[in-house]
Each structure stands twice: as structure tokens, then as C-alpha cells.
Amino acid sequence: LAGSTLGGLTSLASTWLTQHRQDRAARLAQDRTKRRELYAQFINEASRLYADALAHNEAEISSLVGVYSLISQMRILSSPGVVERAEVLIRMIVNTYFTPNKTLPELRGLIESHTLDPLRAFSEECRKELASI
């Protein structure tokens, strides 16, 4: 009787442990997917805003509010490093609105000098975070 009880408890513990690990793996995969979608949405919005800032002197307030909304969502889900990189990026974009508009030859020079990639630090921080999950 003790052997049957021990065997049953061992089976129950093994099943519970397996289920617990599977649930944890599913939660982590879901969390990674949610973050990846949030980062992609932020990158798309920030890219659009940066292009607009290079060509215009006035920002669309609703677009800026939308990007700040994404940063607030990151504060809930992401590491402080990712949030900090996002905030630095948005400050740089806002500051770009106050600089003179860029002409096509100036844009070409920025592209060739690799200074037209303000999203690089943010993207690399996101990659590090997603790899650590």
C-alpha cells in the first residue's frame, strides 16, 4: 500500500512539475511576443516621426502623444534600459524639429556617414532584452 501511494504521489508530482514548466514557457513566449510587437510599433512610429522632423519644423502633437503612450506601455513591460533608450530617442526627435529642414543632398550625406540611424541603440537594447527572456 505504501509503494502504491508513493508511486501515485511521484506520478502526481511529476505531472504537476511538467505542467508548471510548460505553463511558464508559454507565459514567457507570450511575454516575448507582446514586447516584440510593442517594440515594432514604437520603431515604426519613431521612424515616421524622425522623417517628419527632418523635413518639417512643426510636430504633429497627436503623433508625439502616441509615441509617449507606447513608452508608457514599455514602462510596464520592459527593462529600464529599453525605456531610457526610447526616451532618449524621442528627445532627439523633438530636438530635430527645432533644427533647419534637411535637403536631399544633406540627407544623402547623413546616410553615407551612418548618422541617420537614431534607432540603432534602441533596437540593440531591445534585442538584448528579448534574448535575456
Side-chain angles (χ1 to χ4, degrees), residues 80-94:
V82 170
V83 174
E84 180 182 334
R85 298 282 185 184
E87 290 174 336
V88 167
L89 175 62
I90 294 305
R91 279 194 299 273
M92 189 272 307
I93 290 172
V94 169

Side-chain angles (χ1 to χ4, degrees), residues 95-106:
N95 289 336
T96 302
Y97 277 106
F98 295 105
T99 63
N101 294 341
K102 302 293 184 227
T103 63
L104 283 177
E106 289 173 327

Side-chain angles (χ1 to χ4, degrees), residues 17-112:
L17 204 77
T18 301
Q19 186 64 38
H20 178 71
R21 286 187 177 159
Q22 287 175 347
D23 289 346
R24 186 172 187 274
R27 280 193 312 274
L28 286 175
Q30 185 179 23
D31 183 45
R32 178 182 282 146
T33 300
K34 186 182 288 187
R35 289 179 194 207
R36 189 176 292 138
E37 290 171 355
L38 177 61
Y39 299 156
Q41 188 177 3
F42 178 80
I43 288 169
N44 289 335
E45 288 294 316
S47 298
R48 192 180 62 69
L49 274 174
Y50 185 58
D52 187 62
L54 288 171
H56 299 96
N57 291 330
E58 292 185 23
E60 294 179 30
I61 302 300
S62 61
S63 295
L64 285 172
V65 170
V67 170
Y68 278 106
S69 167
L70 294 172
I71 291 174
S72 293
Q73 291 176 45
M74 284 182 216
R75 283 190 185 98
I76 296 169
L77 298 173
S78 305
S79 68
V82 170
V83 174
E84 180 182 334
R85 298 282 185 184
E87 290 174 336
V88 167
L89 175 62
I90 294 305
R91 279 194 299 273
M92 189 272 307
I93 290 172
V94 169
N95 289 336
T96 302
Y97 277 106
F98 295 105
T99 63
N101 294 341
K102 302 293 184 227
T103 63
L104 283 177
E106 289 173 327
L107 287 176
R108 181 177 173 193
L110 289 173
I111 290 170
E112 289 176 358

